[in-house]
Amino acid sequence: MKHYIRFPRAEGTHSRQAHADLPAGTFEREMSKDGFFGPAAHFHHKHAPTGWARFTGALNPHAYDLNRLPPAGNSPWDATLFMHNGDTRIRYWRAERAMDHLVRNQDGDELLFIHEGAGDLFCDWGHLSYRDGDYIVVPRGGMWRIEPSAPTTMLLIECTEGTFTLPEKGLVGAHAIFDPAMLDVPAMDERFRAQQTDDPWSIVVKRIGALSTIDYPFNPLDAVGWHGDLCVVRLNVRDIRPLMSHRFHLPPSAHTTFVGRNFIVCTFVPRPIESDPGALKVPFYHNNDDYDEVIFYHRGDFFSRDNIKPGMVTFHPCGFTHGPHPKAFKAGAAHARKETDEYAVMIDARYPLRVAELPDGVENHDYVDSWKPKPA
Ligand SMILES: [Fe+2]
């Protein structure tokens, strides 16, 4: 338990409730500790905090179109690494055909997010089908391979030297957001038994970033059974029932799906927009003073951002002031939208992320200007 220097005070013209009943004509900006959990100050500004005339230096935000990455090879180890730090490595991979080898990650748990496609995953625990919108958690050390039935595009999020866990659900209880009974597990079914042949197979193992290959004269996915409480699990974003309040815009941390070591993975799914006349309808302006923020756009019309399409990623480094784009802000103020239809995966990292070298054309260098009001 942290003993913050914490004692609420107020000054000047201000609302009494964060994200609601803002003084007329003001823009709320939140400054906070611990990614919206710690002490916070809410400022009421006369101008939008994103109304800069010019932005120079390295704190600028980034937007990437991963659809423009060239195809990689047919192994998850060929996936394009685009962001990383000591706690996570985030890669993007398009698999067109069945893997001809097994992989094993000894650096950390792996979270697969299936953006497009469908197919079958074979692993130590058996056979599991997958489709778009699936999260699949593979515990560190688990062997696996996929056989796509449709070309498959996925994000791979490694929890380096750590373990993915579920978030504390506190006041709302264990069955909120998604019931743990909703987690699917592989089966030792006919498909699994049918692949247990004496054909030679290789396992390509990654440890400390280096690959080792172990050749077997048979398929080592040959278990006839298992027991325990460590397993590959699958959760589809369609099965997430988001927390929301009709009177209060909840912070993104309310949408936490998995917790890694020094980072969290959140899922934005369709939800009604706040209906209370005084409640903020769009994300509040903030700097996220402790976390780097990465959002991968999966499906739908992303409400608070203009010109963002599925397969794109935005990166807002810690300390970069952001909030809704002007069009979304106006739509929120006018109650023009009653619900969102967006699906997105957010990765918030406590320690700075580095962006890998990416081919020309993947980054949109004008993104920093996207908050400028468009001429009418
Ligand atoms: Fe943010």
Side-chain angles (χ1 to χ4, degrees):
M1 172 113 178
K2 287 183 186 169
H3 295 281
Y4 295 111
I5 307 171
R6 190 170 206 180
F7 49 103
R9 297 289 168 91
E11 187 64 42
T13 305
H14 61 86
S15 64
R16 295 180 66 201
Q17 167 67 54
H19 320 325
D21 305 323
L22 308 186
T26 65
F27 298 83
E28 182 195 55
R29 177 173 63 94
E30 176 171 309
M31 180 181 154
S32 64
K33 293 284 187 191
D34 291 335
F36 312 109
F37 284 97
H42 298 92
F43 301 96
H44 303 291
H45 289 285
K46 291 195 273 188
H47 296 96
T50 50
W52 48 78
R54 200 155 63 95
F55 197 115
T56 51
L59 190 61
N60 61 304
H62 302 268
Y64 305 98
D65 186 352
L66 302 186
N67 301 302
R68 293 173 173 230
L69 285 173
N74 218 50
S75 169
W77 303 140
D78 298 326
T80 305
L81 172 71
F82 66 93
M83 235 166 247
H84 58 104
N85 66 12
D87 300 311
T88 188
R89 293 165 58 81
I90 310 169
R91 295 110 71 209
Y92 183 79
W93 181 43
R94 186 167 178 84
E96 302 277 348
R97 57 187 192 282
M99 287 167 60
D100 62 1
H101 59 279
L102 291 150
V103 291
R104 206 170 84 193
N105 191 341
Q106 291 300 151
D107 286 332
D109 285 2
E110 196 90 86
L111 175 63
L112 280 46
F113 175 72
I114 310 297
H115 174 50
E116 291 171 331
D120 297 282
L121 176 130
F122 296 90
C123 63
D124 278 306
W125 292 265
H127 163 236
L128 186 69
S129 63
Y130 67 78
R131 62 164 297 185
D132 61 300
D134 277 342
Y135 283 112
I136 301 172
V137 183
V138 183
R140 173 180 182 154
M143 281 187 278
W144 63 277
R145 65 184 179 86
I146 59 165
E147 286 186 12
S149 54
T152 297
T153 307
M154 68 171 81
L155 280 187
L156 297 114
I157 304 164
E158 180 186 278
C159 180
T160 312
E161 299 296 344
T163 298
F164 282 110
T165 58
L166 297 179
E168 261 306 317
K169 293 185 189 167
L171 287 176
V172 296
H175 305 103
I177 314 175
F178 66 86
D179 190 326
M182 192 65 78
L183 294 169
D184 297 310
V185 301
M188 294 213 158
D189 55 13
E190 195 45 50
R191 289 285 306 274
F192 186 63
R193 284 188 290 274
Q195 53 97 59
Q196 294 180 331
T197 65
D198 283 338
D199 297 318
W201 276 87
S202 300
I203 310 172
V204 183
V205 183
K206 181 170 82 73
R207 177 61 190 150
I208 323 178
L211 300 180
S212 302
T213 303
I214 308 166
D215 299 321
Y216 285 87
F218 53 86
N219 185 344
L221 289 186
D222 65 351
V224 297
W226 72 277
H227 69 120
D229 56 5
L230 177 66
C231 185
V232 161
V233 294
R234 181 187 69 192
L235 172 72
N236 193 280
V237 292
R238 295 169 182 84
D239 291 327
I240 292 175
R241 295 161 196 267
L243 287 185
M244 61 93 49
S245 160
H246 67 294
R247 302 200 65 201
F248 181 69
H249 187 91
L250 295 176
S253 44
H255 306 296
T256 306
T257 313
F258 299 104
V259 178
R261 190 183 70 140
N262 297 320
F263 70 97
I264 57 173
V265 179
C266 305
T267 314
F268 299 118
V269 299
R271 61 171 178 82
I273 288 176
E274 295 77 8
S275 56
D276 185 280
L280 210 62
K281 313 292 188 298
V282 284
F284 43 90
Y285 293 93
H286 59 280
N287 311 327
N288 208 341
D289 300 280
D290 281 333
Y291 281 75
D292 277 3
E293 296 180 359
V294 178
I295 300 182
F296 175 78
Y297 301 89
H298 171 54
R299 284 280 177 279
D301 172 17
F302 206 73
F303 177 48
S304 64
R305 299 262 169 274
D306 297 342
N307 301 319
I308 291 290
K309 302 279 183 304
M312 293 178 76
V313 165
T314 55
F315 172 38
H316 295 171
C318 168
F320 167 69
T321 308
H322 57 281
H325 278 127
K327 200 169 81 184
F329 188 85
K330 270 193 210 145
H335 294 241
R337 294 279 299 264
K338 301 290 181 219
E339 57 192 16
T340 68
D341 71 348
E342 67 206 20
Y343 286 93
V345 175
M346 181 167 84
I347 299 145
D348 270 16
R350 174 63 187 82
Y351 294 104
L353 288 162
R354 285 182 291 281
V355 182
E357 285 268 322
L358 295 170
D360 286 349
V362 173
E363 179 165 6
N364 168 10
H365 292 283
D366 296 328
Y367 182 57
V368 69
D369 293 326
S370 60
W371 281 269
K372 283 188 179 160
K374 306 277 183 301

